[in-house]
Amino acid sequence: MRILVTGGAGFVGANLINELVEDRNNTITSLDCYFTGKKQNHVNNVKYLEGYTWDIDKIFKNEQFDVIYHFGEYSRIVHSFDDINFVSESILRGTPKVFEFAKKCNAKVIYSASSSKFGNNGKDENLSPYAWMKSKMVELLKNYNVWFGLQFEISYFFNVYGPGQITHGDYATVVGIFERQYNNGENLTVVEPGNQQRDFTHVGDIVDG
C-alpha cells in the first residue's frame, strides 16, 4: 500500500510510521515542515520530504497514494493566538489542499481532528483559533465525502502522551512537561485549584486505533 503521512516526523506521525513500516507491503512517504517535527524521528525504509502541505500537489505531482494520514497541522491551543497567521496557513490553507490532492489520487484520508471542539458541551469550538479552524476542516472533510465521494476516517485526539512527546520549549505537552520535571527531581506544575480532570491517551493506543 502506498501511504503518505503528513507530519511524519512529529510525535504522533513518527509513532504511526514506526508501526506502519513493519508491514513490508507498505511504501511510506512523510511530508513534514519540521515546525515541531524532528529529523531524529526518521526511521529506515521511509522517504522523508521537507515541505508544506499547501504545496502538496506540486511536491507529489507525479505520485499517487492509497491512504493519506493527515497529521501535519498546527496543534496547540494556547499558542494559536500568537501564531494565528501560521495556524491559518497550516489548517485553512494546507488542509483543503490535502483533501483536494486525496480526491485526485482517489486516496482515503485519515484525519487527526481535535477533541478541543467538544469542551463545555461544544462551546469551546470557538474558544481559540486552533479549535475553530480544526472544527471547520472536519466539516469540509465530511462535505468532500458528500460532494465528491472522498473516503475518510476521523480520529479525535485527547491529550496524547508517550514515547517521543515534546518535553521542552513552548510546544511541550502537559505530560511531557511532567516527565521532564519528574526526571529532574522537580515538583510537577499543577495550576489552581488542582482538582481538574483531563482525558489522556497513550500514543500507542492512537496508533493501534
Side-chain angles (χ1 to χ4, degrees):
M1 184 175 290
R2 298 165 300 178
I3 299 173
L4 171 63
V5 180
T6 69
F11 168 40
V12 178
N15 276 277
L16 173 67
I17 286 178
N18 277 323
E19 183 71 21
L20 293 174
V21 78
E22 292 298 318
D23 186 341
R24 295 186 179 181
N25 293 316
N26 291 332
T27 301
I28 304 167
T29 302
S30 165
L31 175 64
D32 203 303
C33 71
Y34 295 90
F35 182 70
T36 57
K38 299 178 181 178
K39 293 185 177 180
Q40 301 94 294
N41 290 335
H42 289 190
V43 298
N44 294 330
N45 301 317
V46 175
K47 180 180 179 181
Y48 288 92
L49 296 175
E50 184 171 354
Y52 295 102
T53 52
W54 55 81
D55 292 325
I56 190 170
D57 55 339
K58 299 175 184 177
I59 295 171
F60 299 113
K61 61 182 179 181
N62 297 318
E63 296 187 55
Q64 297 280 318
F65 298 96
D66 301 304
V67 178
I68 299 174
Y69 289 86
H70 184 34
F71 294 172
E73 286 181 322
Y74 185 99
S75 61
R76 291 295 181 271
I77 294 174
V78 176
H79 292 293
S80 68
F81 291 93
D82 295 327
D83 298 337
I84 188 167
N85 289 329
F86 184 66
V87 181
S88 179
E89 289 284 285
S90 173
I91 300 176
L92 297 185
R93 182 183 176 194
T95 295
K97 291 285 189 178
V98 173
F99 295 165
E100 183 63 18
F101 178 72
K103 178 171 74 74
K104 292 178 181 178
C105 287
N106 195 29
K108 184 175 183 177
V109 174
I110 312 297
Y111 183 56
S112 61
S114 173
S115 60
S116 57
K117 64 175 287 185
F118 298 116
N120 293 319
N121 296 316
K123 294 180 181 179
D124 283 1
E125 178 178 322
N126 298 306
L127 191 63
S128 70
Y130 167 75
W132 181 81
M133 293 182 199
K134 288 286 284 185
S135 68
K136 296 305 110 178
M137 292 304 97
V138 168
E139 292 179 16
L140 181 62
L141 181 56
K142 291 179 178 179
N143 280 328
Y144 254 70
N145 173 260
V146 175
W147 300 334
F148 307 114
L150 180 66
Q151 296 301 302
F152 72 92
E153 298 290 347
I154 297 174
S155 178
Y156 290 97
F157 294 174
F158 287 77
N159 296 309
V160 185
Y161 71 97
Q165 63 191 348
I166 301 175
T167 59
H168 293 77
D170 292 339
Y171 299 96
T173 59
V174 172
V175 179
I177 293 170
F178 287 170
E179 178 187 16
R180 185 191 73 228
Q181 292 173 329
Y182 177 82
N183 288 335
N184 291 338
E186 303 170 359
N187 292 327
L188 305 189
T189 303
V190 179
V191 298
E192 293 182 346
N195 59 354
Q196 307 94 318
Q197 294 185 3
R198 295 289 185 272
D199 293 317
F200 294 91
T201 313
H202 192 275
V203 69
D205 293 322
I206 291 288
V207 169
D208 288 344

